[in-house]
Amino acid sequence: MTRRYAEVIGDPIAHSKSPIIHEFWLAALGMEADYRTCRVTPDTLAAYFAERIADPAWSGCNITIPHKIAALNHVADPGGVRTSIGAANTVARNEKGDIFATNTDPGGFYAPIAGLELEGAPVVVIGAGGAARAIMFALSRLGVGPVTVLNRNVLKGAALLAAFGLKGNALPLGSPIPPAALLVNASALGMKGHPPLDIDLSALPDDAVVYDIVYAPLETALLAAARARALDTVDGLEMLIGQAALAFEILFGVEPPRDRDDELRARLK
Ligand code: NAP
């Protein structure tokens, strides 16, 4: 029988760290399966799904830019991802062999902050793109207090608050940030090739947590500024590994060995 495989699709895709993560876990578990990279352009997305769905060796795929929304047009959506989060990052087969879409980004975002008491707490989110959408969904489920969204395009921030029924304000990037229990950078600022996120953290209380989902570079100016203030921090690899772990279980049917995260993180830096 042909060896089972899953893959990550997107355009561009060469930079994706997903193959490093999934191949690490497959090898650690001694599994006879592969995790590949596949460049899929928007005009080949429909053909991609038609071909792969007919291939019994294909377990499914992770989805990155620009297909997270469009993928929902090609698969069933029994969990209601289209109306809840509005984007998918994983497509897989269920026990009956039916193809379905889901999104492990909210769970991956939540895992590192699961110990925080955020119900009713004020939160700041910077960014209003695809990643912010998954994060706002998670925040809405956690019952957080007012959410202040800072984004270059203010309307996108306001639309996200409305989409997830969150109370709060949408402000332009550069506005002073209010006190908050959690500040999340979900924008591309600070990422390689983008300007750094220049933000004054002085309004944050001493027990605030600063979470930067950017993982390239891992040590961002935002995290350095938070550490300089002795605030607790969460870096982008935590969410990246967290969402991948949930996807691995869906794609390969077993939990990944999270006790080897230190070794995995060293490979991803
Ligand atoms: P996206 O949908 O393209 O959104 C990009 C966001 O960054 C938007 O809010 C955009 O503002 C803002 N932005 C981009 N360039 C900017 C600039 N020059 N000045 C001001 N704002 C700018 O991308 P995404 O998928 O949400 O990803 C955002 C970041 O999160 C990326 O660095 C990505 O690598 C990271 N990420 C990490 C994980 C993880 O697991 N750790 C998962 C997903 C994404 P406008 O809305 O005004 O354009």
Side-chain angles (χ1 to χ4, degrees):
M1 190 189 144
T2 325
R3 201 169 148 107
R4 190 155 63 116
Y5 71 99
E7 59 201 339
V8 58
I9 66 164
D11 181 30
I13 196 62
H15 68 285
S16 174
K17 291 195 185 287
S18 293
I20 299 174
I21 300 173
H22 289 268
E23 285 287 354
F24 174 80
W25 286 331
L26 287 171
L29 293 170
M31 287 178 68
E32 289 290 323
D34 296 312
Y35 189 96
R36 307 172 181 166
T37 297
C38 183
R39 179 168 171 256
V40 176
T41 56
D43 58 326
T44 59
L45 188 64
Y48 167 82
F49 277 116
E51 193 182 293
R52 290 299 196 268
I53 288 167
D55 179 356
W58 181 75
S59 301
C61 63
N62 288 124
I63 300 157
T64 188
I65 291 173
H67 304 312
K68 286 190 172 187
I69 296 170
L72 287 166
N73 297 329
H74 302 282
V75 294
D77 183 24
V81 173
R82 181 195 293 274
T83 46
S84 59
I85 306 171
N89 80 336
T90 305
V91 167
R93 296 186 196 274
N94 65 17
E95 315 78 59
K96 289 189 285 174
D98 297 332
I99 304 294
F100 70 98
T102 188
N103 197 325
T104 65
D105 282 337
F109 164 74
Y110 171 66
I113 54 166
L116 298 182
E117 185 44 72
L118 289 171
E119 200 176 333
V123 175
V124 172
V125 176
I126 297 141
R133 172 164 280 277
I135 288 167
M136 300 284 252
F137 171 78
L139 293 175
S140 70
R141 295 298 155 112
L142 290 173
V144 298
V147 177
T148 305
V149 187
L150 280 77
N151 197 48
R152 179 172 60 180
N153 180 334
V154 184
L155 288 180
K156 277 172 69 180
L160 278 193
L161 287 175
F164 297 112
L166 287 160
K167 293 188 303 273
N169 281 306
L171 301 173
L173 205 62
S175 307
I177 59 156
L182 172 69
L183 180 143
V184 185
N185 176 34
S187 79
L189 294 173
M191 189 184 164
K192 202 160 46 182
H194 291 262
L197 176 60
D198 184 16
I199 192 167
D200 178 3
L201 301 179
S202 56
L204 294 182
D206 292 342
D207 59 352
V209 175
V210 173
Y211 191 153
D212 197 342
I213 74 161
V214 168
Y215 54 80
L218 191 55
E219 178 68 13
T220 60
L222 173 65
L223 291 183
R227 288 194 191 109
R229 263 213 54 199
L231 300 176
D232 279 341
T233 57
V234 181
D235 69 38
L237 280 188
E238 298 214 27
M239 175 171 166
L240 189 73
I241 294 171
Q243 62 77 28
L246 295 169
F248 188 88
E249 217 174 319
I250 293 167
L251 293 168
F252 297 109
V254 283
E255 279 183 38
R258 294 297 303 273
D259 55 336
R260 294 183 62 179
D261 272 9
D262 286 349
E263 207 182 321
L264 175 57
R265 283 179 65 94
R267 291 182 186 214
L268 292 166
K269 277 179 191 164

